[in-house]
Amino acid sequence: MTPSLGCDDDLPIIVDVAEEPGGDTVQEQVVVHAGFGHGVDGRGEPFAGRDFRIGCEFPSGTYLQRDR
């Protein structure tokens, strides 16, 4: 269970991502990870990022190429 959301881990979280700024057309994507970035700095010291990031992907399935 994801304590911060109060839901099961296998429950997909869907995000409607705008195709362009100020646009009203959205594409549905699924959250695949979220959290603060982390790594090792130039001195070899571990660090945690200050930005909370949410990674998304298109849901699995078949997608048809749209003519523009």
Side-chain angles (χ1 to χ4, degrees):
M1 179 171 223
T2 305
S4 60
L5 298 177
C7 57
D8 293 331
D9 288 338
D10 61 351
L11 176 71
I13 298 174
I14 306 297
V15 178
D16 291 328
V17 180
E19 289 185 352
E20 61 185 45
D24 59 354
T25 304
V26 297
Q27 294 184 351
E28 185 177 274
Q29 295 187 7
V30 176
V31 174
V32 292
H33 59 83
F36 291 95
H38 58 279
V40 178
D41 65 17
R43 300 177 309 218
E45 297 291 323
F47 72 90
R50 295 177 50 172
D51 299 328
F52 188 86
R53 297 191 176 258
I54 299 172
C56 300
E57 291 181 356
F58 288 103
S60 60
T62 303
Y63 298 90
L64 301 176
Q65 185 73 10
R66 183 171 58 171
D67 292 333
R68 288 191 169 214

